[in-house]
Amino acid sequence: MNRRDFISASLATSTVPFIVKKNPIEDKKIRLGFIGVGLRGRTHLQQVMYRPDVEVTAICDIDKNSITEANKIIQKFNKPIPVAYTKGERDFENMVKRDDLDGVVIATPWEWHVPMAIAAMKAGKYAGVEVSATVTLQESWDLVDTFEQTGSHCMILENVCYRRDIMAVLNMVRKGMFGEMLYGHCGYQHDLRFVKLNDGKSAYGKGVEFGEKGFSEARWRTQHSIDRNGDLYPTHGLGPVAHWMDINYGNQFLYLTSMATKARGMHNYIVDNGGENHPNAKVKFKLGDIVTTTIQCANGENIVIIHDTSSPRPYSLGFRAQGTKGIWMNDGNQIYIEGTSKKHDTWEPFADYAKQYDHPLWKRFEQDAVNAGHGGMDFFVIRAFIESIKRKVAPPIDVYDAAAWSAISPLSELSIARGSSSVEIPDFTRGKWRNRKRTFGLNDDY
């Protein structure tokens, strides 16, 4: 038997194993840097440690204790200690110039997000920015302009877009289960009084200190509640709803109106926990306890966003998806689909629908997400950033999403300042939204 006949016969009888070609994308390694390795940055850092295809070559933080804690995580996984940049607030500019970086994860106070992202993008790196991506309207334009000038991508790391029930609802929306979409309700309803005020020693400890005397987010986040009145944190709710409504992908935000209640929660918390004579009892908080924003969309849908972080209340993002054929509500985890639900005008538990319409991403990576924070969401969002870099493509949540979702914050401030008047929402895509194709949650890839 000659060699050709021998190989053919062997293959036919399966005596020679079938050789599977490796996927070059899966094998490709990327190099990441981290700007900000405080509590949130270290969450992302730990998630990256599980990946054999990622090397962390540099980290940056002005708090040397954060660098120490980050290195402990890296040592735990027996990975090489990265170069640390700690020499002042602008040392990140030196870090992003490194040749051994493909992408940069930014988890710092809000006001630093855009300067750091722009520096990374101008250096030719992918920028992954924590939420919200921008603080001012001009910053949203700056992010978009930098991308269009450099071609360097920016992804807003909005993890709630990957929440399991949210992705199941997205799957149902795209399969037409709700009919034509009409309305989305969402928000950030989270008692943060013990986050914005603490004892200066622990992130979630008792105490009523902030600023220089505070710890972690209390050092910077609380000042926003003193200086600003608007929806300061819109993207956790708005991001998922924007995907349901195809915002920036055949649909667009047009305008919004916002209103705020009086401010009472933060002051009362200080008095209750620090006493009437505590110096911080004299601080005037500008942020209303509950801020309500309504958005009109180009295709006729409405979106309502609630910001509520200074009130004693259970946590809820208050999601609601409603179309011409049915409705799903996060609170109560209930659903009604006309013609499908068993009883007319009666809510059903969402559990069976969640299982039936579980998104392919979750079906594929459920076990991989076990070690991730926020119920597994953090696994998916950082994975999407990494896979986009490996493929050299735009991330599934891109710079236009980052700009539009984050811009709701300053625009809501403007509406309130103008007596809840209507404020136009800019088209950051400059008209491209009409023909842009969906990129998020299309399959089980990323």
Side-chain angles (χ1 to χ4, degrees):
M1 181 180 290
N2 61 34
R3 182 173 179 273
R4 179 180 298 174
D5 292 339
F6 172 76
I7 293 174
S8 298
S10 297
L11 288 174
T13 58
S14 299
T15 58
V16 175
F18 179 69
I19 300 173
V20 180
K21 291 183 179 180
K22 290 185 177 181
N23 186 335
I25 293 177
E26 290 180 358
D27 291 341
K28 182 178 180 181
K29 285 196 174 185
I30 67 161
R31 302 151 305 172
L32 287 183
F34 282 75
I35 307 177
V37 284
L39 296 179
R40 184 57 179 153
R42 294 200 296 272
T43 299
H44 288 310
L45 178 64
Q46 177 155 319
Q47 195 55 224
V48 163
M49 289 294 102
Y50 290 106
R51 299 191 60 125
D53 56 350
V54 177
E55 297 175 357
V56 177
T57 56
I59 57 177
C60 177
D61 203 301
I62 58 174
D63 181 359
K64 293 185 178 181
N65 180 65
S66 292
I67 295 288
T68 299
E69 293 300 316
N71 285 337
K72 287 180 181 178
I73 293 173
I74 295 168
Q75 289 173 324
K76 179 181 176 182
F77 286 84
N78 297 315
K79 300 291 184 71
I81 298 299
V83 177
Y85 288 78
T86 62
K87 298 177 181 178
E89 292 183 336
R90 311 296 306 191
D91 209 15
F92 69 88
E93 294 174 337
N94 297 315
M95 191 195 88
V96 299
K97 294 175 183 177
R98 295 177 63 96
D99 293 332
D100 59 351
L101 282 179
D102 301 302
V104 178
V105 176
I106 300 166
T108 56
W110 299 335
E111 54 266 27
W112 284 102
H113 286 181
V114 170
M116 291 170 173
I118 287 178
M121 294 163 75
K122 286 184 175 180
K125 278 72 174 178
Y126 277 68
V129 188
E130 260 300 338
V131 300
S132 290
T134 70
V135 175
T136 69
L137 188 62
Q138 183 58 51
E139 285 182 336
S140 283
W141 280 117
D142 290 344
L143 274 187
V144 169
D145 290 343
T146 302
F147 162 68
E148 293 182 347
Q149 291 162 9
T150 65
S152 298
H153 292 287
C154 177
M155 176 177 175
I156 181 171
L157 300 175
E158 183 43 78
N159 61 351
V160 181
C161 292
Y162 289 95
R163 206 172 88 175
R164 194 165 196 168
D165 58 344
I166 293 299
M167 295 203 78
V169 171
L170 175 68
N171 201 15
M172 294 181 68
V173 168
R174 290 180 174 175
K175 290 180 181 297
M177 292 296 295
F178 294 99
E180 185 177 359
M181 291 302 291
L182 299 171
Y183 178 79
H185 191 102
C186 60
Y188 189 64
Q189 300 170 130
H190 190 184
D191 183 359
L192 294 183
R193 295 172 299 168
F194 65 99
V195 174
K196 292 189 280 187
L197 298 165
N198 56 43
D199 60 5
K201 300 176 183 178
S202 56
Y204 311 117
K206 294 180 179 179
V208 294
E209 302 295 348
F210 68 92
E212 293 183 357
K213 293 183 179 181
F215 180 81
S216 189
E217 290 182 68
R219 292 185 67 86
W220 59 269
R221 187 170 186 166
T222 315
Q223 194 63 42
H224 287 272
S225 297
I226 296 171
D227 297 337
R228 304 168 61 195
N229 190 16
D231 189 326
L232 305 188
Y233 203 59
T235 69
H236 277 339
L238 186 58
V241 175
H243 286 142
W244 297 344
M245 305 292 190
D246 286 326
I247 299 300
N248 289 336
Y249 304 91
N251 199 4
Q252 187 62 289
F253 298 141
L254 293 182
Y255 56 86
L256 63 74
T257 57
S258 298
M259 62 180 63
T261 69
K262 51 194 169 186
R264 293 292 184 269
M266 294 294 287
H267 171 77
N268 292 344
Y269 186 85
I270 292 170
V271 171
D272 292 343
N273 293 276
E276 294 182 357
N277 295 324
H278 192 284
N280 289 342
K282 298 180 177 62
V283 174
K284 302 295 183 182
F285 290 88
K286 192 173 182 180
L287 176 65
D289 287 0
I290 301 169
V291 178
T292 303
T293 299
T294 303
I295 298 175
Q296 179 68 45
C297 301
N299 291 345
E301 306 91 344
N302 292 158
I303 301 171
V304 171
I305 320 169
I306 308 293
H307 182 272
D308 176 0
T309 61
S310 302
S311 307
R313 57 156 300 126
Y315 173 86
S316 172
L317 298 187
F319 284 112
R320 175 174 155 191
Q322 188 166 5
T324 56
K325 292 183 179 179
I327 178 173
W328 169 75
M329 289 178 58
N330 173 196
D331 293 334
N333 203 25
Q334 50 195 355
I335 190 170
Y336 174 78
I337 302 294
E338 188 176 49
T340 301
S341 294
K342 297 176 182 178
K343 294 182 179 180
H344 179 63
D345 293 339
T346 302
W347 291 106
E348 286 188 283
F350 183 60
D352 288 344
Y353 289 86
K355 184 176 181 179
Q356 181 179 354
Y357 294 97
D358 196 17
H359 195 277
L361 263 173
W362 271 95
K363 289 181 179 179
R364 179 181 175 186
F365 292 108
E366 178 178 9
Q367 293 304 313
D368 299 85
V370 168
N371 293 317
H374 294 97
M377 299 186 298
D378 289 347
F379 164 83
F380 290 99
V381 73
I382 203 69
R383 182 178 185 278
F385 182 59
I386 291 168
E387 294 299 322
S388 299
I389 298 172
K390 290 171 72 172
R391 290 163 170 76
K392 295 184 178 180
V393 296
I397 310 174
D398 67 8
V399 69
Y400 299 109
D401 300 324
W405 303 353
S406 302
I408 300 306
S409 189
L411 293 173
S412 68
E413 291 180 73
L414 183 58
S415 176
I416 291 169
R418 291 179 176 177
S420 299
S421 65
S422 174
V423 175
E424 182 180 354
I425 303 173
D427 171 15
F428 294 101
T429 73
R430 295 183 170 98
K432 293 189 289 290
W433 64 269
R434 293 180 175 85
N435 299 308
R436 296 181 83 219
K437 303 301 181 184
R438 295 170 177 164
T439 58
F440 179 81
L442 300 180
N443 47 46
D444 68 353
D445 201 358
Y446 66 100

